Amino acid sequence: MKKTLYSLMLNEDVVREVDALAHQLGTNRSALINQILAEYVDYTTPERRINDILKAVEQLMAPSRELVPFFAPNANSVSLKSSLEYKYRPTIKYEVELTPGDGEDIGTLSVVFRTQSSALIQAMADFFRLWKQIEDAHLAPRIGQRHRYALYDGKFVRNLAGPERDCTSQELARTISDYVQLFDKLMKGYLTGRLDAHEIEAAYYSQMRNTPIHI
């Protein structure tokens, strides 16, 4: 959303209280005043929508025994930690980052892992490649576009495409939560050997068919 510089005459005491509240909320004066005015005229800013979505993701994930969410108000990302069923129980961190704007993407999903085990690194890389192949085969034809993927040293990144239709913050939060939970569940199944490539694909396809919104 385009922003324009305006000059306002404000009482010094009001500005002092605004600055104190902005600091408490982890934001700045301009962003807070913008949000206050938006709420007064009943307008949802992109930043407020992102906050609502990520807060809803945190609430939806809170009961999970597999993923531990962390979200700081007014941030543009939420983190979720998960432990692998592997010796030393290495930690996986999922980070969902949303971006304001009118682009085709709404953000990114990053899967961050730290391990010294070459066998585990190779197995995870194999799973990430399998995931891309499955989505290229099943999701891309459904939404008419392919996602972008990147695999770095200790990090797998996938863009989050804008949904095919208008949806509420709660609907989008549910879609994101379900996607991360499916990814986490199937990755763990693959790494432990409980699920092979065909079973991963079948489980993915089954959920995709029953998902009303795709990202």
Side-chain angles (χ1 to χ4, degrees), residues 24-180:
Q24 180 182 342
L25 295 175
T27 185
N28 56 57
R29 179 193 300 169
S30 296
L32 179 58
I33 291 176
N34 187 73
Q35 185 59 46
I36 291 172
L37 292 175
E39 291 176 358
Y40 187 81
V41 298
D42 196 25
Y43 174 75
T44 301
T45 64
E47 291 80 9
R48 177 58 185 272
R49 178 167 165 80
I50 287 175
N51 187 82
D52 291 345
I53 293 169
L54 296 180
K55 184 177 181 181
V57 169
E58 180 189 39
Q59 293 171 343
L60 288 167
M61 290 293 200
S64 172
R65 299 178 61 182
E66 296 292 329
L67 293 152
V68 179
F70 176 77
F71 171 62
N74 301 310
N76 64 348
S77 65
V78 60
S79 298
L80 305 119
K81 288 188 177 181
S82 178
S83 296
L84 296 179
E85 300 172 34
Y86 202 82
K87 51 187 175 182
Y88 310 120
R89 297 191 67 82
T91 298
I92 297 291
K93 184 178 77 170
Y94 299 95
E95 183 172 357
V96 177
E97 182 177 0
L98 301 184
T99 54
D102 301 322
E104 294 182 354
D105 293 348
I106 60 171
T108 57
L109 168 66
S110 299
V111 185
V112 182
F113 54 98
R114 293 288 183 268
T115 177
Q116 300 300 315
S117 170
S118 57
L120 179 56
I121 292 173
Q122 183 60 55
M124 294 184 70
D126 290 342
F127 176 79
F128 297 147
R129 294 188 183 96
L130 172 63
W131 192 263
K132 178 186 183 303
Q133 292 171 5
I134 291 172
E135 293 205 314
D136 284 346
H138 299 292
L139 182 59
R142 190 180 185 96
I143 65 175
Q145 62 175 307
R146 288 194 174 194
H147 285 75
R148 298 186 305 279
Y149 306 83
L151 180 58
Y152 305 103
D153 182 21
K155 190 175 187 179
F156 174 70
V157 182
R158 174 197 187 274
N159 71 301
L160 298 176
E164 310 98 304
R165 63 172 177 81
D166 291 338
C167 57
T168 65
S169 297
Q170 191 68 29
E171 288 176 322
L172 194 49
R174 170 62 69 183
T175 299
I176 293 171
S177 300
D178 288 348
Y179 183 87
V180 174

